[in-house]
RNA sequence: GGAGGCGUGGCAGAGCGGCCGAAUGCACCUGUCUUGAAAACAGGAGUCCUUCACGGGACCGGGGGUUCAAAUCCCUCCGCCUCCGCCA
């Protein structure tokens, strides 16, 4: 949820944000007027309640005729209060409905526009030159005995796969490398639940426009998470955190589940886009004034990981229309995929400012001891998809794949060879 | 799956339908005392909404009901705990 105080003070900023996202500006004014109506409804109901409270005290003391008269008056007041409360609650519902529909206010420096309007912030490394025809990650994976898509489909359907032998080991090595880096940087490693309650899923902003992306277990009214961001954001919900010592940093290791609804025909080959994958994700709670600096740190940590697996990549500043509901700004790192001759997303670092925290009621005490909404951020350290970039960029003519130096201690071998 | 119990402030734990935002203890903060600390004593201290402010209102798991009036009575949902069974 956006901050209504900020909205009242500077509605134009929110309108500008809606424009940057390519969304409806009128929503802003509808929200403003709903806010106004709610506040007057609250004031009216408060006044009546105060009156009723006073009267109630008198009834307790009165006797005889006086008491009867007061009771009659009380009945009338009770009806008035009931009506005023109904009006208040209607106004509150209407406000809430509009409130949750407004996405986070886009950072003023984020590019406006849609998916293709990103800005490239930098490119690191150069795409490898092969003196042979490079093979894609699926063929490589099959030859290495690392990947079995056919049986994945047999057992679970399309977009499912088995990581087999060295494939499974490779993923563990990647995730362990990520977990080790996170731990070394002061993150608390977490293995969270991957099924969450509706209010947690809603609080993270995934039940809005992206609701169809989320698996739901109807019988139990639980949702399968698409990222450990969800349980980690819920971890401190309804709490007042002590952030005086700095940000709280968590690294969540979990399986992630995505329905990939509406992506028919996209990335159908291999493990680029799948229903289930594993990920180590950084998640941070901090004071709002520290969020932007923390966002830069998350990006730096992602780049540190990419450097360790030695693949060329670029960093993009994602445009407003492609941000998702909760993010104010998002930096993606995209690795070079040789057989596609283009960059593909490997990491994503979002600054959600106070948007998620306000929904989930995560607060901290400011220097005056007042509770305030905290800021939350998240960023990727490693996922199953990284295997794609790793295999393709480090392949050799004989079908073997060189293991990057940093990964060797975790994998135990220097080269993966065809079986 | 079956049986039972419980949900009150940071924690523990009281609470005849009106005088209960709520006793008491612990923890906490501020003073006094002390060279300093401890102890003792005095005081303070929840969250949310609303208001420029004074103030007003809401919150005793959630929702609904009874009543002039509900932490207290009724219904319902949710959560937690214990025991038995089953599974791993």
């Amino acid at each position: 949820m956006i901050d209504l105080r900020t909205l009242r003070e500077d509605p134009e900023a929110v309108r500008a944000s809606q424009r940057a996202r390519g969304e409806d500006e009128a929503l802003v004014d509808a929200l403003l007027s709903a806010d106004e109506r709610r506040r007057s409804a609250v004031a009216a109901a408060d006044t009546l309640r105060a009156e009723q409270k006073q009267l109630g005290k008198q009834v307790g003391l009165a006797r005889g005729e006086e008491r009867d008269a007061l009771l009659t008056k009380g009945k009338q007041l009770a009806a008035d209060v009931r009506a005023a409360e109904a009006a208040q609650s209607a106004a509150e519902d209407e406000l809430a409905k509009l409130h949750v529909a407004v996405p986070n206010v886009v950072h003023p420096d984020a590019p406006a526009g849609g998916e293709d309007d990103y800005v490239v912030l930098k490119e690191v490394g150069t795409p490898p030159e092969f003196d042979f025809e490079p093979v894609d990650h699926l063929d490589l994976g099959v030859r290495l005995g690392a990947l079995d898509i056919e049986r994945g489909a047999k057992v679970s359907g399309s977009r499912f796969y088995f990581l087999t032998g060295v494939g499974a080991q490779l993923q563990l090595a990647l995730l362990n490398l990520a977990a080790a880096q996170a731990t070394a940087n002061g993150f608390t490693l977490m293995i969270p639940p991957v099924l969450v309650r509706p209010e947690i899923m809603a609080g993270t902003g995934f039940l809005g426009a992206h609701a169809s992306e989320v698996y739901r277990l109807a019988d139990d009214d639980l949702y399968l998470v698409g990222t450990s961001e969800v349980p980690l954001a819920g971890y401190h919900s309804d709490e007042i955190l002590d952030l005086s010592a700095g940000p709280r940093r968590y690294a969540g290791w979990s399986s992630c589940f995505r329905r990939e609804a509406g992506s028919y025909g996209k990335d159908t080959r291999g493990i680029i886009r799948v229903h289930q994958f594993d990920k180590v994700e950084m998640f941070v709670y901090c004071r709002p004034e520290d969020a932007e600096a923390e966002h830069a740190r998350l990006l730096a940590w992602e780049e540190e990981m990419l450097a360790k697996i030695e693949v060329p990549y670029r960093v993009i500043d994602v445009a407003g229309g492609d941000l998702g509901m909760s993010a104010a700004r998002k930096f993606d790192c995209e690795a070079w995929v040789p057989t596609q001759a283009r960059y593909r997303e490997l990491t994503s670092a979002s600054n959600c400012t106070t948007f998620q925290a306000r929904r989930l009621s995560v607060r901290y005490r400011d220097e005056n001891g007042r509770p305030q909404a905290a800021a939350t951020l998240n960023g990727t350290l490693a996922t199953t998809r990284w295997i794609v970039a790793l295999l393709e960029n480090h392949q050799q003519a004989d079908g073997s794949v060189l293991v990057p130096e940093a990964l060797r201690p975790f994998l135990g071998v220097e080269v993966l060879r065809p079986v």
Side-chain angles (χ1 to χ4, degrees), chain A residues 155-271:
Chain A
V155 170
S156 302
S158 67
R159 296 199 192 282
F160 285 97
Y161 57 94
F162 283 79
L163 291 178
T164 56
V166 292
Q169 288 177 308
L170 183 57
Q171 168 161 302
L172 283 177
L174 268 170
L175 296 181
N176 275 319
L177 177 63
Q181 181 188 298
T183 305
N185 288 323
F187 284 75
T188 302
L189 190 60
M190 307 278 271
I191 297 180
V194 294
L195 284 168
V196 299
R197 300 173 193 252
E199 60 269 27
I200 300 296
M201 189 55 87
T204 50
F206 286 104
L207 291 186
H210 297 281
S212 63
E213 266 297 290
V214 181
Y215 283 103
R216 171 158 184 261
L217 279 76
D219 285 349
D220 301 283
D221 202 17
L222 288 170
Y223 291 89
L224 270 167
V225 303
T227 161
S228 58
E229 172 191 346
V230 175
L232 291 179
Y235 189 67
H236 284 305
S237 58
D238 293 318
E239 293 182 24
I240 298 177
L241 294 175
D242 183 359
L243 294 177
S244 60
R248 298 266 195 126
R249 299 190 177 98
Y250 299 101
W253 174 319
S254 80
S255 291
C256 305
F257 304 88
R258 301 187 180 179
R259 295 186 64 230
E260 295 299 341
S263 65
Y264 308 109
K266 249 196 233 173
D267 298 315
T268 49
R269 200 175 148 76
I271 56 167

Side-chain angles (χ1 to χ4, degrees), chain A residues 55 59 65-78:
Chain A
L55 187 87
V59 172
E65 276 180 35
E66 192 193 350
R67 184 184 163 93
D68 292 341
L70 287 173
L71 281 180
T72 310
K73 198 177 164 196
K75 272 198 209 292
Q76 180 56 46
L77 251 183

